[in-house]
Amino acid sequence: MRVLGVDPGLTRCGVGVVEGVAGQPLTMIGVGVVRTPADAELGQRLVAVEQGIEQWLDEHRPECVAVERVFSQHNVRTVMGTAQASAVAMLCAARRGIPVALHTPSEVKAAVTGSGRADKAQVGAMVTRLLRLDAPPKPADAADALALAICHIWRAPAQNRLQQAVALHAATARKGRTA
Amino acid sequence: MRVLGVDPGLTRCGVGVVEGVAGQPLTMIGVGVVRTPADAELGQRLVAVEQGIEQWLDEHRPECVAVERVFSQHNVRTVMGTAQASAVAMLCAARRGIPVALHTPSEVKAAVTGSGRADKAQVGAMVTRLLRLDAPPKPADAADALALAICHIWRAPAQNRLQQAVALHAATARKGRTA
């Protein structure tokens, strides 16, 4: 499974592609940051994020895009930009028919470090170890994007089993009604 | 000046096109709502909003798109959807090189009713009067989109004068430095 992780942001949007399956060593395919100038108009910044994400999708053809789920508890100004950048990333993927998965920051931290409250340094260290890199990817947004992709690959089997169980239950219920 | 007003939302995204200039009677060119099913996946809903906005831009060729500025003080769940839908609207406009203007809800209310704290019914009544309609546009999101467009047409002259003054000041400052 090849996953593009996106840590959404207007100033820096982290992107990272990881390939592999749960239970086996993972491979980093690419990592980077889509940047937009803080003094540009909001519409132009969103267009730049779109172009950046499109380029990553074109180049790496992921089977799934994992995006950080945005909450609005944090700083008001930042969270709006984050929500808007995440919308563009989800739009780009969905337009191509690529499934989009959302993971919360604590799910991602728990997946790669074992603790939902881990700090940036810990996440960076674990991403470095899990992908057998020489040094933690910089900036932190890039490392976070890789962590999202890893989290998705590891959680996917459980999520698939859950979806299959729900589908089976729904099918059985339908059968029960028509019987 | 022809303006497309957008009251962003995932479930109902209000859209309204108004034509005219400040100080003269305005004309409604079109009004409607782009809807997306609440049970669809978020990515698919954003794609549907994009298709809806694109259709309105194709059909009405506005010179400007006025979008409600989203704040995160309100309900957490709703505000994220609103921010994401507004991002899609801004992206569609900016991609075509159409200027995007943001107005706060209180700016819009103050523009059409004289009070920044007016309720939905008051905004609907004034939109009906200002555009010489037979009845208030339904749902409220559609009326709000028209109010946004009216607000933008009325505020545009002041905003343009301000921009010109800033540009003039910058030019004078440059001239002063090079002299």
Side-chain angles (χ1 to χ4, degrees), chain A residues 41-44 46-48 50 70-77 79-80 83-88 90-91 94-95 97-100 102, chain B residues 41-44 46-48 50 70-77 79-80 83-88 90-91 94-95 97-100 102:
Chain A
E41 283 189 11
L42 183 49
Q44 293 306 327
L46 295 170
V47 172
E50 181 185 42
V70 183
F71 291 105
S72 77
Q73 281 91 327
H74 315 289
N75 179 297
V76 174
R77 249 192 113 80
V79 89
M80 285 295 120
Q84 288 158 341
S86 79
V88 173
M90 287 187 276
L91 178 69
R95 227 164 27 194
I98 302 173
V100 176
L102 299 173
Chain B
E41 282 189 11
L42 183 50
Q44 293 306 328
L46 295 171
V47 171
E50 181 185 41
V70 183
F71 290 105
S72 77
Q73 282 89 331
H74 315 290
N75 180 297
V76 173
R77 249 193 113 81
V79 90
M80 285 295 121
Q84 287 158 342
S86 81
V88 173
M90 288 187 276
L91 177 69
R95 224 163 29 192
I98 302 173
V100 177
L102 298 173

Side-chain angles (χ1 to χ4, degrees), chain B residues 65-152:
Chain B
V65 174
V67 182
E68 189 179 292
R69 190 186 288 279
V70 183
F71 290 105
S72 77
Q73 282 89 331
H74 315 290
N75 180 297
V76 173
R77 249 193 113 81
T78 317
V79 90
M80 285 295 121
T82 311
Q84 287 158 342
S86 81
V88 173
M90 288 187 276
L91 177 69
C92 292
R95 224 163 29 192
R96 295 179 182 225
I98 302 173
V100 177
L102 298 173
H103 298 286
T104 65
S106 52
E107 280 169 359
V108 175
K109 289 174 189 171
V112 300
T113 74
S115 162
R117 296 174 172 201
D119 62 14
K120 292 246 171 233
Q122 221 179 323
V123 171
M126 284 307 296
V127 164
T128 310
R129 187 174 307 168
L130 293 167
L131 298 175
R132 289 152 291 135
L133 309 176
D134 296 327
K138 293 268 170 64
D141 314 74
D144 285 348
L146 292 171
L148 264 156
I150 296 171
C151 168
H152 184 72

